[in-house]
Amino acid sequence: MPPQLLHDEASTDIFGYVHVLDVHWPYLPPPAALAAIPTPAVELDLSEAGQKQLRDAVNDGERVLTAAEQDALRALYDACVRGYDSAFAELLAALRERDLLDDALIVVTSDHGEEFGEHGKLGHGHSLSDGLPRIPLIIQTPGSREGSVRRELVSLTDVYPTLLRFVGAPIRSGVSGRDLFGDDRPADVFAELMHGRRYEQAVRTTSWKLAQEFTQLGEPIAAS
């Protein structure tokens, strides 16, 4: 379905929030994207039900993925990404047709990554291993023409104050995160996860990471 842009006709301002689950477990890419990134031949049931059974078996410690199976699942995931890229291109084209693209503030990000057996698990939601909280954050600022890559640590909590800056709204005291285009120095990044009866928290700096696991009652399990 082509993207639909909605706005108040009495205002020149437009806000759009697009939340997609195309790049997510179960990995069910559109046929065109799957044809562009062929999946290696493996003896796996890659239907939605088959993927659920496989994920449960791997995450329960009953199954270990082979290298070929990991490659096949990564190929499915990559095809999901390609399918999303095509849909996102349609959105950008719709903005361009309406002469809105050059003046738009566009933020592309995610809430988590995926694992494919690197630490004996499949999917997400089970740990704070680096492949899961490390996500893309792409920002197009109004009128920008050239891109750049910044290497400092950032957090999803930084998105809100950054957006406030660009719309001219004040950033109230007590708001988590920082304006990524402001003068505040990069901060350490904190992450936390509740999984079953286990609570995990981690702090990441540019040079090290501290992770601690607890039970639901707050008793330490392990640190690394």
Side-chain angles (χ1 to χ4, degrees), residues 97-115:
E97 290 171 3
R98 294 163 174 78
D99 294 323
L100 297 173
L101 184 60
D102 288 343
D103 294 326
L105 172 64
I106 299 175
V107 179
V108 180
T109 189
S110 179
D111 56 341
H112 59 74
E114 295 285 279
E115 283 193 335

Side-chain angles (χ1 to χ4, degrees), residues 107-159:
V107 179
V108 180
T109 189
S110 179
D111 56 341
H112 59 74
E114 295 285 279
E115 283 193 335
F116 299 94
E118 294 88 346
H119 298 90
K121 300 290 185 179
L122 177 60
H124 60 271
H126 48 261
S127 78
L128 293 176
S129 298
D130 281 356
L132 298 175
R134 187 173 183 177
I135 57 174
L137 177 59
I138 304 170
I139 301 177
Q140 173 189 289
T141 57
S144 61
R145 291 293 183 272
E146 296 183 0
S148 63
V149 178
R150 292 167 52 172
R151 300 296 183 183
E152 75 264 26
L153 293 171
V154 299
S155 169
L156 281 177
T157 58
D158 298 329
V159 174

